[in-house]
Amino acid sequence: MSLSVSEIIEQILENRGISKENREAFLNPDYNNQHDPFLLPDMEKAVERLLAAHKKQEKITVYGDYDVDGISGTAFLTKFFNEIGISADCYIPSRKETDYGVSKKSIDYFHKRHGKLVITVDTGYNTIEDVRYAKSLGIEVIVTDHHKTVKEKFDDEILYLNPKLSKSYKFQYLSGAGVAFKLAQGVCMKLDLDMEIIYKYLDIVMIGTIADVVPMIDENRLIIKKGLKIIKNTKVKGLSYLLNYLRLNKKTLTTTDVSYYISPLINSLGRVGISRMGADFFLKDDDFDLYNIIEEMKEQNKQRRALEKYIFDDAMRKIKNLKIPLDKLSVIFLSSSKWHPGVIGVVSSRLTIKFNIPVVLVAIEGDYGKASCRSVGDISIFNLLSDVKNLLERYGGHDLAAGFVIHKENISKVKEYFINTIPKMKLEYNKNKKDYEKDFDFELPIEELGDKAFEFMEKMGPFGSNNPHPLFFDRNLKLDEIKRFGVDFRHFNGIIYKDNVSYNAVGFELAEKIASDYMNKTYNIVYYPEKIILNDEEVTQIILKSIKENK
């Protein structure tokens, strides 16, 4: 590595379009650089209403979505409220039992329990009639959300905290947990409380932010970078126990650790298990309760993996039956009445990674289908759904991940629109691809890996959407001790070596690239290095992003 660490960083930041005046804030995010939460429209009113409810001793319920972002944001806000003396409970619906967001069914539930104020996290409301119904029962709703990008005339009837609907708040891409964090920050400022009250639980917000795959810039970068440090000495007993179970307690955690190990276990409760347990995991302190929750996580994750395997295999059969060459596919749009709606999102992501094209999977139950969509590059799945919103019961999400509910009679019409539109968008995307989206950033033989490379990675991290791992290239490596693992044995790990230098290596979604007689082959790789704990010792591991056999 002939360039210095600072020279490499400067070159990559320049390639990625980060201006010189913004580079220090990017590399060293600081709490002082946060945006004022009161720049969010309705924040002042929301904080005042919340404090009024506390003063009147009204029952407050935090209502969260059932994914990791919603669960973690709900737990964070509930934990914060109770810690500063505001009595609040939380409610997370089962994926199967309720409509999107605040609905008549959930309002009746709150009313029976004498609720007076409902604060949503990572979710909005089903219809304005449901909000009006809540008001008729004396229940007020504060929505904290980050999905919807178009303001509707009825939104003025409620207190609505959403950075995407704000012209004054300069960062639009907070996660649901991130918006909940800003509400807590607003309360702290209004009551002149020490911000350490919320910062010490930033690891909870960090998990939701990573899980929601939001851009790794601005306040998201601050939340994640600080959160990854805080989790090493977490104040959340459930997290401490989970890190021990996953054997992650002795290493410096990365976004990969959160994405591949922590999030799936929490997510399994929301997808196929009991969603409320996900919040209890963050909130409970009783050892027996936490033991049972983690055991339930493990069990539900096994079920989720079995369902995932079935849906993935079924989807692959359907793709093969399309009788279209795989390299000619521009979009995958499939539906089935045999799929679990809580697992199609995971399979959509897998198929998007495998084929590098947008994917829509629809799980049909009765007269309606629930869909999970994933996209790539600059192809906005949310904009596509907006184009056909008259055919949908409801929809929401982001550019690269979204969902919708649809009457089954309209599925074929939406499918036809996607199939006709996406190929044109893909052509446009390929034409406008930026230079830094090439396969790797620098050529770096593995024998030259050293402290300089890790110093560089430490400064550039954390990594994710809009700040991908800098990638290195090396050629003519050999493999040994290869073992395949995961659902369908789609991942592999083993030893990669050249010139008497060897490292542990892992390739996610790459097992199919390895020939059965791999020991007689050499491979070119695109990779990045990371530190892991192996047998109580920190060692270097190679994370493979692509691997190609030399013919």
Side-chain angles (χ1 to χ4, degrees):
M1 191 182 259
S2 56
L3 296 175
S4 70
V5 171
S6 59
E7 287 172 330
I8 294 170
I9 289 174
E10 286 294 311
Q11 187 170 328
I12 288 183
L13 292 180
E14 184 176 343
N15 291 346
R16 293 184 178 184
I18 298 173
S19 63
K20 288 187 177 180
E21 56 267 27
N22 292 326
R23 287 177 192 175
E24 175 59 27
F26 176 84
L27 293 172
N28 300 296
D30 188 86
Y31 288 129
N32 293 326
N33 295 332
Q34 295 177 88
H35 303 294
D36 183 349
F38 289 99
L39 291 175
L40 283 168
D42 286 340
M43 178 62 81
E44 187 78 43
K45 293 178 182 177
V47 171
E48 287 176 359
R49 177 66 186 90
L50 173 61
L51 296 180
H54 169 52
K55 190 173 182 180
K56 296 176 188 175
Q57 295 187 315
E58 294 176 339
K59 185 164 185 179
I60 301 169
T61 302
V62 183
Y63 180 109
D65 194 21
Y66 36 60
D67 64 6
V68 177
D69 189 20
I71 289 171
S72 60
T74 298
F76 166 79
L77 210 51
T78 305
K79 203 172 190 75
F80 163 69
F81 286 153
N82 289 322
E83 184 144 328
I84 65 170
I86 297 177
S87 179
D89 193 12
C90 67
Y91 176 82
I92 296 178
S94 160
R95 189 177 288 260
K96 288 185 176 181
E97 74 182 23
T98 190
D99 293 324
Y100 166 81
V102 175
S103 62
K104 187 175 183 297
K105 183 177 178 180
S106 60
I107 291 160
D108 286 336
Y109 175 87
F110 302 138
H111 183 57
K112 286 177 184 176
R113 286 154 182 78
H114 310 290
K116 291 296 180 183
L117 179 63
V118 175
I119 303 170
T120 78
V121 174
D122 195 36
T123 187
Y125 58 88
N126 193 24
T127 68
I128 193 61
E129 284 74 25
D130 293 332
V131 175
R132 290 169 179 165
Y133 175 66
K135 284 187 176 181
S136 74
L137 297 176
I139 299 173
E140 191 159 2
V141 177
I142 297 173
V143 170
T144 78
D145 195 16
H146 69 131
H147 292 99
K148 190 159 58 173
T149 59
V150 179
K151 190 173 179 64
E152 297 175 283
K153 59 181 179 179
F154 301 123
D155 290 344
D156 291 332
E157 295 187 32
I158 58 175
L159 298 176
Y160 208 128
L161 306 181
N162 184 341
K164 283 195 174 74
L165 299 180
S166 172
K167 294 180 180 177
S168 55
Y169 197 82
K170 299 305 181 185
F171 183 56
Q172 293 191 335
Y173 301 106
L174 288 167
S175 65
V179 181
F181 172 76
K182 299 308 290 188
L183 176 58
Q185 193 177 41
V187 171
C188 280
M189 292 171 69
K190 182 65 72 173
L191 296 177
D192 197 25
L193 299 174
D194 187 339
M195 287 294 175
E196 180 57 28
I197 293 172
I198 56 174
Y199 294 159
K200 68 182 178 182
Y201 295 127
L202 204 58
D203 49 357
I204 304 177
V205 182
M206 172 270 295
I207 290 170
T209 300
I210 290 175
D212 214 54
V213 201
V214 288
M216 199 76 68
I217 54 175
D218 207 287
E219 286 185 306
N220 291 336
R221 184 170 168 81
L222 171 75
I223 288 168
I224 292 168
K225 191 145 190 163
K226 299 289 188 184
L228 286 170
K229 290 180 179 177
I230 290 166
I231 199 173
K232 289 177 72 174
N233 298 294
T234 183
K235 301 283 193 293
V236 181
K237 188 182 270 191
L239 268 179
S240 177
Y241 287 1
L242 186 62
L243 292 177
N244 284 335
Y245 162 68
L246 293 170
R247 297 180 181 178
L248 295 173
N249 52 314
K250 293 184 179 180
K251 78 181 292 279
T252 299
L253 291 189
T254 66
T255 53
T256 302
D257 295 319
V258 176
S259 298
Y260 276 92
Y261 304 115
I262 296 173
S263 290
L265 285 165
I266 299 169
N267 212 13
S268 66
L269 295 175
R271 291 185 182 277
V272 295
I274 304 166
S275 304
R276 167 67 202 228
M277 271 192 175
D280 287 341
F281 164 73
F282 290 106
L283 297 172
K284 296 272 190 182
D285 281 319
D286 182 80
D287 290 345
F288 182 74
D289 288 341
L290 289 172
Y291 172 81
N292 285 333
I293 290 170
I294 291 174
E295 286 301 306
E296 184 68 16
M297 279 182 177
K298 290 152 65 175
E299 181 58 35
Q300 295 300 335
N301 199 41
K302 286 179 186 175
Q303 289 189 34
R304 189 268 307 166
R305 286 160 62 93
L307 288 167
E308 178 190 335
K309 181 177 181 347
Y310 168 76
I311 296 172
F312 181 82
D313 289 346
D314 195 33
M316 286 301 296
R317 281 192 292 271
K318 290 176 182 287
I319 291 167
K320 288 174 183 175
N321 288 339
L322 293 173
K323 297 180 179 176
I324 299 173
L326 297 181
D327 60 347
K328 301 296 183 185
L329 276 175
S330 292
V331 58
I332 294 168
F333 194 120
L334 305 172
S335 60
S336 174
S337 59
K338 297 178 180 179
W339 294 346
H340 191 296
V343 185
I344 54 174
V346 181
V347 179
S348 296
S349 296
R350 281 186 61 187
L351 292 171
T352 300
I353 292 169
K354 184 177 180 65
F355 295 104
N356 195 34
I357 57 175
V359 174
V360 180
L361 300 184
V362 187
I364 300 170
E365 187 173 355
D367 291 333
Y368 294 90
K370 288 185 177 181
S372 183
C373 320
R374 299 292 184 270
S375 192
V376 295
D378 287 343
I379 300 173
S380 171
I381 208 81
F382 184 88
N383 289 346
L384 283 164
L385 294 177
S386 298
D387 292 343
V388 293
K389 62 183 179 181
N390 60 308
L391 297 172
L392 308 176
E393 299 298 308
R394 58 182 182 272
Y395 71 101
H398 317 286
D399 289 335
L400 298 182
F404 62 86
V405 175
I406 187 171
H407 195 283
K408 64 181 182 182
E409 290 182 355
N410 290 328
I411 292 175
S412 60
K413 298 173 188 173
V414 174
K415 180 177 181 178
E416 183 180 3
Y417 178 78
F418 273 53
I419 287 172
N420 290 335
T421 306
I422 287 177
K424 301 170 192 172
M425 297 176 72
K426 195 173 179 185
L427 282 173
E428 188 67 21
Y429 165 65
N430 288 334
K431 189 168 66 176
N432 296 328
K433 233 180 182 182
K434 296 174 184 170
D435 289 340
Y436 72 77
E437 290 175 297
K438 63 184 180 180
D439 290 339
F440 61 92
D441 296 282
F442 294 96
E443 185 162 349
L444 179 65
I446 63 168
E447 59 267 31
E448 292 184 22
L449 277 179
D451 292 340
K452 191 185 287 188
F454 285 102
E455 182 186 346
F456 157 66
M457 301 291 277
E458 175 71 20
K459 286 182 180 294
M460 282 292 294
F463 302 108
S465 175
N466 285 60
N467 186 40
H469 273 281
L471 298 178
F472 305 115
F473 174 79
D474 196 8
R475 64 185 80 235
N476 299 323
L477 293 107
K478 302 205 76 174
L479 301 175
D480 197 9
E481 299 180 22
I482 295 299
K483 294 178 182 176
R484 291 168 172 81
F485 66 95
V487 177
D488 291 332
F489 298 98
R490 65 187 190 271
H491 317 308
F492 79 90
N493 58 31
I495 305 295
I496 195 160
Y497 66 97
K498 184 174 70 169
D499 297 336
N500 297 317
V501 175
S502 65
Y503 288 104
N504 293 309
V506 62
F508 295 107
E509 309 287 349
L510 292 175
E512 64 181 22
K513 304 286 187 182
I514 307 303
S516 58
D517 59 342
Y518 65 85
M519 295 183 73
N520 300 319
K521 312 281 187 181
T522 62
Y523 293 85
N524 294 347
I525 63 169
V526 174
Y527 74 98
Y528 65 86
E530 70 169 12
K531 295 286 189 182
I532 63 167
I533 300 295
L534 188 64
N535 299 323
D536 290 328
E537 183 182 347
E538 189 173 68
V539 299
T540 298
Q541 175 173 261
I542 300 294
I543 303 294
L544 298 169
K545 299 304 290 183
S546 72
I547 184 165
K548 187 175 182 181
E549 177 187 323
N550 289 313
K551 300 295 186 182

